[in-house]
Amino acid sequence: MILDAPTSLRGSLANRLHLDLPLLIALLLLSGVSLAVLYSADSSRVDQQLLRLAVGFVVMLVLAQIPPDNYIRWTPWLYALAVGLLIAVLLAGIAGKGAQRWIGIGGFRFQPSELMKLAMPMMVAWYLREVSLPPSLKKLFAAVLIVAIPTLLIAKQPDLGTAVLVAGAGIFVLLFSGIPFKVLGFASLLLAPLAGMLWKFGMHDYQRQRVLTFLTPESDPLGAGYHIIQSKIAIGSGGLYGKGWLNGTQSHLEFLPERHTDFIFAVFGEEFGLLGGTLLLSVYLFIVWRGLYIAAQAQEPYGRLLIGGLIMTFFIYFFINIGMVAGLLPVVGLPLPLVSFGGTSMVTIMASFGILMSIHTHRKLLKG
Amino acid sequence: MAKRFTLKDPIREAHLFRTRAIAAAVLTTLLVFVLLARLVHLQVHNHDHFSTLSNNNRVAVQPIAPTRGLIFDRNGVVLAENLPTYILEVIPERVEDMETTLAALRKLVNVADSDLKRFRESVRRKRRFEAIPLRFQLTDEEVARVAVNRHRLPGVEINSRLTRHYPLGALTAHVVGYVGRINQRELNCLEQQRGCGFDWSDTSKELLQRSNYSATNRIGKVGVERSHEDALHGKVGFQKVETNARGRVLRILERTPPVPGKDLHLNIDIGLQQAAQKAFTGERGALVAIEPKTGAVLALVSVPSYDSNLFVNGIDSATYTKLSQSLFQPLFNRALRGQYPPGSTTKPFVGLAGLELGDIGPDDKQVCRGHYQLEGEERHYRDWTRHGPGVDVHRSIVESCDVFFYDLAHKLGIDRLSGFLRQFGFGQPTGVDIGGEAGGLMPTREWKRRTRHEAWYPGETLITGIGQGFTLATPLQMASTTAALAIRGQRMQPQVVRAVENSGGGNRETLPAVALKPVSVKESSNWDRILNAMEQVVHGSRGTARRIGRDAPYQIAGKTGTAQVFGIAQDAEYVEADVVKLLRDHALFIGFAPVDEPQIAIGVIVENGGSGGAVAAPIARQVMDYHLIGRQEEKKP
């Protein structure tokens, strides 16, 4: 007998709410870490963050209830809407912090590139779901176009960090579709000179500066390299067990800039040490594993590919953030997912987990 | 390559995906191990190195708050100053036992329970090495007592801080205003550079920046303190300091001093202000005095008032509730924001409109039977008394005859009437240089259609003619329009601030008087008639304000008024004794003196005072006396 699993009559509360309990617990853990570290870094923002987390969880809960068939049907429209909004931003967006990223709708500010973070993997998965996998070169080329158009629109804003993330989300879907590694190697050979061109013509001075600073932070200790030096000192001085909650001197003496947003991991590392860092990374890695497991369990190619793309985007988020705060990667302005103080990206991430749970909990199961 | 027909193979695809997913899991795990390796590198291998750096990380940049500019009256009397006050602070980290320390401190100085509660909250929220204030504004004796016992109270410190102080408190609260703690809304305004009632000119935008307030914790809330925040605040300074690992400053390495705020000199004569406030003798109301030629605001009084010092360090909620819920509304700035029906004080303006627009001749006479009726209407529009036959425009102003003005208003019609009065500034903000003034109301047909979706009724024109009905004016507007009347239609913008001076003297910049569009009156004899009638209001034998004119050593022109607080039924008689005090009529008076060379124009309202001639006019007279002769007398003995 085929059942909509889990049925609304059966199973635990989490099942009945179409939630995946292990993932939910991991997400709640991260929220707790967020509130605790934020309390230490800037206690005045805890209330706001709590509200945002609450909104995020509600969004996740709501999206998890919607059967995945609907997502499939909505995908092309959502993608078209997101592309349209991106064009609108370029034409009429409000300049925020020197770049056009926001669009105002009735006094409400909205960042269309956030919508694209969801719409992009959905669209690529939608396109590939009917195609025999791995895709032929022709189909692959069409899929690359789906990825390229919004990426270029976002890069033009200019918001390189988000552009890379959005492109990444699409490319991960392509990777999961099984394109041969030969093609990959060939593509990267083609992309190398393109990166050179980007460096020369496509980047703003401040973006180039960030890459240079990354390579030699000590060269400019009071200017652009300050962030990295200070965050390394904060993390390094934390040691094995950390200085203890609320006792981080680097962050509290205000040596550490942006300590409530992008650099919040430095506060965490200083106060909770290697032990805390290992635990936090374990939670993140667990979420990725669980996501990949759920993807492999999905019955339709759409669900598989979409979840794979979403979960790898999530991975990229925390990998790049922690990598940059620890001085491994350039400072690109990405938040630590669910822990950093910030609104829109949190809602996007929770929305992607909502879709993931919907796909997972609406599977058709054979009752054994 | 030959075209190949491909068929979806779900099992193969699922398998393909599974291998890729496993590859992804392995890859992500490896990358996380890279991160972990980096953390081990930083936190284990280089821990000592970074710990040392952290301990040596001692150069911090600290902002230094600028000293706020002082505020003086026109004679150099200090109205707002900065006094050093002593604060008792405790650094939790250095305290051996918090409870015994607190107990010991409570024996030495008076610590209220509310102080203690706030202190304990701060201890929980703040870092252990930060000094947390326990008591503000210690007296000298308390400072001495703590100082003597300091050796047995480690972690307890007495620090001094400059605090805004208003030596004349309640006398200046409604003009100077006060400063208070910056709140989130104001921070947002500073961030976005708009809103909050600050003056956002291009020059002030440079000063009203969030970064400029990085060391400031007080900001102007109302009055001059708010409207001239940009000039008063100054520019933030910075110092590079060397601290120890816990944040204590050891040494200043480099210093960019702050630029202190500018001093303000007001047009207000604080002696006059005091005389006016005294003249109210406990009544509620407001008085504004303006120098007609310059628009200088000489006095701006709203009584009852409150002590503005209460707000500087944050007012306690009990006192605030008492103030804000008081029936007498001491926090309400009546002079700027109180909107009252101007009553009969509008008659000189309406009379001028009638003469100038040709609806009445100077000698047109009426018989006043004590009431007026519109053709085809039942309703009686009552007068306060029967003035009998022979009432012309002169007598109707001197004796304040309503019937004459009902008739005149009817002839003028609401649109012409209100159009003419608007020229004086009725129904629009005066543009005074302190914020928050109300605009009053001069009704028109169009206004009523827009706001009430109703047609204008002819009867409403009649009561507009005697300053009742919808018409509203603030005391500031009454003074400002009277000033315009006094100098025959020249209009000056009311100004509270006279000059801005760099702190410590020098470079004094006097603000120029601002002329507004004058009232257009072609026939100058019309001015003579109206001003002469107003003079007779005070000095004539039948004038409604004759009691203040009897012994005046200079000539005063004025007009009394009474404004209804509640409506009287058609057949009822208004008997003052029967009416509860709070429902009694408002008493009004406008006037200026001396008539030939006007130096002061006054608008005064006494809430529920009753009669304008008996209650409001004597207050104006006392203020005029002080301004015109008072100071000479002071010099004599």
Side-chain angles (χ1 to χ4, degrees), chain A residues 146-162:
Chain A
I146 294 177
V147 178
I149 292 167
T151 306
L152 290 176
L153 284 174
I154 296 170
K156 191 125 181 60
Q157 287 181 355
D159 187 353
L160 229 51
T162 312

Side-chain angles (χ1 to χ4, degrees), chain B residues 368-627:
Chain B
C368 171
R369 294 195 178 82
H371 59 85
Y372 183 83
Q373 249 179 314
L374 275 175
E375 248 172 78
E377 248 194 59
E378 281 288 295
R379 187 177 163 150
H380 286 250
Y381 294 89
R382 62 176 84 229
D383 202 330
W384 60 283
T385 184
R386 277 174 66 129
H387 294 90
V391 178
D392 58 6
V393 65
H394 179 87
R395 253 192 83 191
S396 69
I397 290 176
V398 175
E399 297 174 29
S400 202
C401 167
D402 290 345
V403 167
F404 184 90
F405 281 95
Y406 289 142
D407 187 55
L408 174 54
H410 184 55
K411 283 176 180 152
L412 281 164
I414 184 61
D415 292 331
R416 287 166 74 226
L417 169 64
S418 132
F420 190 85
L421 261 61
R422 271 183 168 270
Q423 290 192 67
F424 279 91
F426 283 107
Q428 55 214 311
T430 62
V432 69
D433 54 349
I434 51 179
E437 67 165 325
L441 181 61
M442 196 65 231
T444 59
R445 228 178 271 276
E446 198 272 327
W447 165 83
K448 196 178 173 201
R449 202 178 309 124
R450 182 163 34 86
T451 58
R452 313 212 162 185
H453 310 290
E454 264 180 54
W456 183 267
Y457 300 112
E460 290 166 346
T461 309
L462 301 193
I463 53 176
T464 306
I466 61 160
Q468 302 277 6
F470 298 117
T471 320
L472 293 173
T474 64
L476 175 66
Q477 277 177 329
M478 291 186 229
S480 157
T481 50
T482 307
L485 207 55
I487 51 172
R488 296 173 179 242
Q490 298 301 308
R491 290 175 60 221
M492 307 303 293
Q493 192 168 65
Q495 279 184 327
V496 172
V497 178
R498 179 193 190 79
V500 178
E501 187 177 20
N502 278 348
S503 153
N507 229 348
R508 184 164 168 163
E509 180 204 348
T510 306
L511 302 174
V514 182
L516 301 172
K517 191 167 174 266
V519 180
S520 115
V521 170
K522 290 188 192 78
E523 191 59 60
S524 79
S525 65
N526 290 340
W527 284 117
D528 299 337
R529 288 204 171 82
I530 296 297
L531 297 184
N532 180 260
M534 285 178 74
E535 194 174 345
Q536 290 304 305
V537 168
V538 179
H539 298 284
S541 58
R542 304 177 74 171
T544 50
R546 57 186 178 275
R547 74 163 72 180
I548 69 163
R550 226 170 273 146
D551 55 347
Y554 48 88
Q555 292 297 101
I556 305 171
K559 181 71 194 81
T560 59
T562 307
Q564 272 180 23
V565 173
F566 79 119
I568 311 162
Q570 275 289 296
D571 49 357
E573 191 75 8
Y574 177 87
V575 183
E576 197 173 278
D578 293 351
V579 182
V580 185
K581 170 91 181 172
L582 280 175
L583 296 176
R584 225 190 271 166
D585 289 348
H586 295 327
L588 299 129
F589 183 77
I590 60 168
F592 60 88
V595 174
D596 297 332
E597 186 75 30
Q599 287 174 29
I600 182 168
I602 288 177
V604 51
I605 173 152
V606 181
E607 284 184 3
N608 315 116
S611 143
V615 181
I619 294 175
R621 167 75 199 273
Q622 286 183 50
V623 173
M624 287 173 176
D625 277 357
Y626 181 89
H627 191 62

